[in-house]
């Protein structure tokens, strides 16, 4: 008698479907390491937005080079300085926070390209990267 594990009781999908699934995820998400490396080596081609907290939370600790824009204040007017093709990468406190999802939805509804930095500030710190204060 063969017993399947919790992992294999539902078979893995076909490789082509798996590739499409993971590529779809990567179209909407990036991680702390990729953001850090892009900023470190000068290939940053996105605007990094810290989207939770009030200004004092941003001032207490954020990623160097990030811009503070509370998710509820993202509007056409607040984005007017950015060309329409600007890619925004949003982050919040971490996996327990949904401010990045709220910001991502707002940006997308305004027709703006957006990715979420998974892990947020807590992921950034877990990777061993520093925050700065204002």
């Amino acid at each position: 008698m063969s017993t399947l594990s919790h992992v294999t009781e539902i078979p893995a999908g076909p490789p082509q479907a798996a590739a499409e699934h993971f590529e779809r995820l990567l179209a909407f998400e990036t991680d702390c390491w990729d953001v850090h490396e892009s900023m470190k080596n000068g290939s940053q081609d996105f605007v990094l937005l810290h989207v939770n907290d009030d200004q004092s939370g941003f001032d207490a600790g954020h990623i160097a080079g990030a811009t503070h824009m509370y998710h509820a204040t993202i509007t056409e007017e607040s984005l007017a300085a950015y060309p329409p093709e600007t890619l925004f990468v949003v982050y919040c406190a971490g996996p327990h926070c949904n401010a990045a999802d709220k910001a991502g939805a707002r940006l997308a509804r305004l027709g703006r390209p957006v990715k979420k930095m998974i892990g947020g500030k807590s992921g950034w710190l877990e990777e061993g990267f520093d925050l700065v204060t204002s």
Side-chain angles (χ1 to χ4, degrees):
M1 180 169 131
S2 173
T3 309
L4 297 176
S5 74
H6 292 288
V7 172
T8 58
E9 67 184 59
I10 296 175
Q16 182 59 36
E20 291 167 3
H21 166 77
F22 292 115
E23 288 167 357
R24 244 186 331 273
L25 285 176
L26 292 170
F28 302 108
E29 298 177 345
T30 189
D31 66 13
C32 300
W33 192 89
D34 287 344
V35 169
H36 182 267
E37 286 300 303
S38 296
M39 294 174 78
K40 182 177 91 173
N41 72 20
S43 64
Q44 181 177 348
D45 50 2
F46 55 87
V47 173
L48 184 62
L49 290 182
H50 175 108
V51 297
N52 68 318
D53 300 327
D54 56 18
Q55 188 66 40
S56 64
F58 178 78
D59 292 343
H62 61 274
I63 298 170
T67 299
H68 180 251
M69 190 178 292
Y70 181 57
H71 66 82
T73 67
I74 295 173
T75 62
E76 285 290 351
E77 294 76 26
S78 66
L79 301 174
Y82 301 101
E85 67 278 1
T86 301
L87 172 63
F88 293 94
V89 173
V90 295
Y91 77 93
C92 58
H96 56 281
C97 176
N98 68 2
D101 297 313
K102 291 175 181 178
R106 289 181 77 95
L107 286 158
R109 291 197 182 283
L110 292 169
R112 299 304 191 111
V114 61
K115 288 188 176 196
K116 177 173 103 172
M117 185 184 81
I118 57 175
K121 274 175 48 171
S122 61
W124 187 265
L125 291 169
E126 287 173 16
E127 291 284 339
F129 305 139
D130 294 324
L131 296 176
V132 297
T133 57
S134 300

